[in-house]
Amino acid sequence: MASAFALYRLPHADRYVRVQGSTQEITSCALLNGCSGFVIAPFQVKQEQPIVLIAPEKVTEVELSGVSVDAGSSGISGQSDNARSNYHIDFSSFHAQLQQGTFRKIVLARCADEVAVQSVDPAELFLRACQLYPRMFIAQVYTPQSGLWLTATPEILLDGDGASWRTIALAGTMALEGDQLLGEGETARWSTKNIEEQRVVATYIAECLERFTADFQEEGPRTVRAANLVHLRSDFTFSLPSDDCLGDLLMALHPTPAVCGLPKREAFEFIVHNEHTPRRYYSGFMGPLNMPITHHLSPVTHLYVSLRCMNIDRDVYHLYAGGGLLRDSVEELEWQETEAKMQTMRRVFLR
């Protein structure tokens, strides 16, 4: 893989887009003002972990209909025995801060390393994800700076075409079981913890948008399905005086409380200094930014938070997942939530 590339498919689309080109390293979201290309951004931007912009030197669209997908299984070996004990240490540390009132909410993430028994072409994994998850944004990105990542994410960070824009507040998680898997999660009953977590995220996003526009509307929350999970989602639609401020808006939005916490800066600093495994490009964002696509009249932006993702390092899959903690969070329930979220990627290589 000598050059950088990105493959992405929008939710419910019948085609995917391939972007190839050279890369540019960017040290701040604000510096994305006026930029165009496919972007992959980390949770924490630093010198050895920059925002990377792929210049769209070659852009092609491929029909998914008729694409053959191998149904074989690659198999994996088990994850490390100390994963649960590491999570216990982190949960105790994070939850103590909530009980002391340091944070209103904080997100705890973890990584599970699993080894493939049989190699699978990364392009095959991308096509499997497209087949498995029609409701989600699917992307596979390789740059020399970030390595190779695959995501199947439900969370829009910023989406628009210049005339109109949207973002969402997505929080709260429940696993679907039995007959619930036949529907869209309409029978889900939400706990007070989940409702409160989602409201925190929605309030933060509204406050961010007020700094850039007075013309925005909020709808929701409503239950939405993502793979075998459901979440609470509020939709925000808005206009902007100018597209030149997209980097500034991203600087304000990222990372949202859905992947970080509140107060935002304090929660961010606590996370980067106390989680067992650095998040790298998990819970950052990726997607086309102000990029021309052949069948669109104007450049488009489809940026999604990098959730339900894994870093592919030869035959090792580094799976990432996290969950929002509040004062009444229960450790075992939070652990099971991360396991459920990791199943999204596990299903891609366990067929």
Side-chain angles (χ1 to χ4, degrees), residues 176-238:
L176 296 177
E177 298 177 344
D179 291 342
Q180 291 180 320
L181 293 166
L182 301 176
E184 296 298 314
E186 57 273 9
T187 62
R189 292 182 175 271
W190 292 99
S191 67
T192 302
K193 183 262 184 186
N194 279 304
I195 293 170
E196 180 183 350
E197 182 183 348
Q198 198 276 339
R199 190 65 249 160
V200 165
V201 178
T203 300
Y204 174 82
I205 289 176
E207 291 171 350
C208 284
L209 293 178
E210 286 174 349
R211 294 162 50 188
F212 294 88
T213 179
D215 180 21
F216 72 90
Q217 295 79 41
E218 177 184 356
E219 295 184 2
R222 59 190 175 93
T223 300
V224 294
R225 182 172 174 176
N228 292 342
L229 304 174
V230 287
H231 307 281
L232 282 170
R233 167 174 164 169
S234 294
D235 290 75
F236 294 84
T237 54
F238 57 98

Side-chain angles (χ1 to χ4, degrees), residues 77-126:
S77 65
Q79 57 182 295
S80 169
D81 290 339
N82 64 4
R84 186 64 181 87
S85 60
N86 287 343
Y87 186 82
H88 170 71
I89 294 169
D90 284 357
F91 181 91
S92 299
S93 172
F94 280 52
H95 197 242
Q97 298 297 314
L98 290 163
Q99 291 179 319
Q100 293 168 17
T102 307
F103 308 117
R104 291 174 57 197
K105 169 189 174 177
I106 191 166
V107 176
L108 172 59
R110 68 183 183 92
C111 178
D113 295 345
E114 298 181 338
V115 181
V117 175
Q118 178 182 346
S119 297
V120 179
D121 183 355
E124 178 76 17
L125 295 176
F126 170 79

